[in-house]
Amino acid sequence: VQLQASGGGQVQAGGSLKLACTASSNAFGAYALAWYRQTPGSQRELVAMISNVGTTIYTDSVKGRFTISRENVEKRVYLQMDSLKPEDTAVYYCNLGVYASGDYYPNEDSWGQGTLVTVSS
């Protein structure tokens, strides 16, 4: 599965960005989708997830500020990021995987190249 993320850029604190990710999977609608982020020297962190039936989960630090959504016909997943903070600065990756028993299981072969988000104070 190939994933293409876009929409990153540089914004000031308090600003907004909307990330988009397009997947090549023919079974897109059957999978859960997630956004992760990673900073240098840190592990990749799950930011938000949306299941195939629309269940969403968010890491605590972005709750109320970020919104994940999906468009199955277009095979796209979005991440609307509002009230951005400098600590949101990272490379953001999308992933297509499985949501089961309250956990998200990423497909390690479907990370894509990531998109850089830089938030200045």
Side-chain angles (χ1 to χ4, degrees), residues 30-103:
Y31 289 97
L33 298 155
W35 287 96
Y36 283 72
R37 65 187 178 188
Q38 188 173 26
T39 56
S42 300
Q43 289 190 336
R44 205 165 286 181
E45 172 194 29
L46 178 63
V47 175
M49 187 282 310
I50 185 165
S51 75
N52 61 326
V53 295
T55 301
T56 58
I57 58 173
Y58 297 91
T59 191
D60 286 346
S61 62
V62 307
K63 285 179 180 177
R65 301 189 298 120
F66 289 12
T67 304
I68 189 170
S69 61
R70 63 188 293 164
E71 289 286 347
N72 288 341
V73 173
E74 296 181 355
K75 300 182 182 180
R76 286 186 178 175
V77 59
Y78 300 96
L79 187 67
Q80 176 67 46
M81 305 186 295
D82 298 318
S83 302
L84 282 161
K85 303 176 180 180
E87 51 263 44
D88 295 319
T89 295
V91 177
Y92 285 71
Y93 300 87
C94 54
N95 185 271
L96 182 149
V98 175
Y99 177 66
S101 302
D103 290 318

